[in-house]
Amino acid sequence: MFISNAHAAAGAAPGGEYGSLIMLAVFGLVFYFIIYRPQAKRVKEHKNLMSSMNKGDEVLTNGGIIGKIAKISDDNDYIQIEISEGLQITVKKDYVSAVLPKGTMKSL
């Protein structure tokens, strides 16, 4: 009503013809550098941590349990952690959040 038909039909985007494509590319780059790349780095570090665990290492689980690895299962998915002398629990390897320095359990 207030806008002439010729002006409304032009439909030119404010950023030109490629403005929306440029904005989409910028959004994709921001998504990659802010979200995807750091998450992929954390996953890679956790996989390296899981593959480097050996018998006798002191570990911290996601639940906050600290113990020493007593046994690694044959299929490499589960480990037995000795919490105190004679007390062992079985934990899935994925739930280990950190390998602690030697002697950490004795210092607690």
Side-chain angles (χ1 to χ4, degrees):
M1 180 168 150
F2 294 109
I3 302 173
S4 68
N5 290 336
H7 182 62
E17 293 179 15
Y18 298 107
S20 59
L21 290 177
I22 292 172
M23 287 301 292
L24 184 62
V26 167
F27 183 72
L29 287 173
V30 167
F31 177 79
Y32 175 77
F33 284 108
I34 301 294
I35 297 173
Y36 179 74
R37 191 170 176 219
Q39 181 65 26
K41 186 177 178 182
R42 279 190 292 267
V43 167
K44 183 179 177 184
E45 288 174 356
H46 191 257
K47 283 184 180 182
N48 288 338
L49 170 80
M50 289 188 332
S51 65
S52 68
M53 286 191 290
N54 295 316
K55 183 178 176 181
D57 287 344
E58 295 179 6
V59 294
L60 172 68
T61 66
N62 288 340
I65 298 173
I66 296 176
K68 186 181 289 190
I69 297 177
K71 181 182 174 185
I72 299 176
S73 69
D74 295 332
D75 60 357
N76 245 358
D77 278 344
Y78 294 93
I79 58 175
Q80 284 189 349
I81 299 176
E82 184 174 5
I83 298 172
S84 64
E85 196 168 324
L87 179 61
Q88 293 182 353
I89 60 171
T90 303
V91 177
K92 193 162 170 68
K93 255 185 162 182
D94 298 342
Y95 291 98
V96 173
S97 61
V99 175
L100 303 173
K102 300 276 185 193
T104 301
M105 287 181 63
K106 291 184 180 184
S107 67
L108 297 176

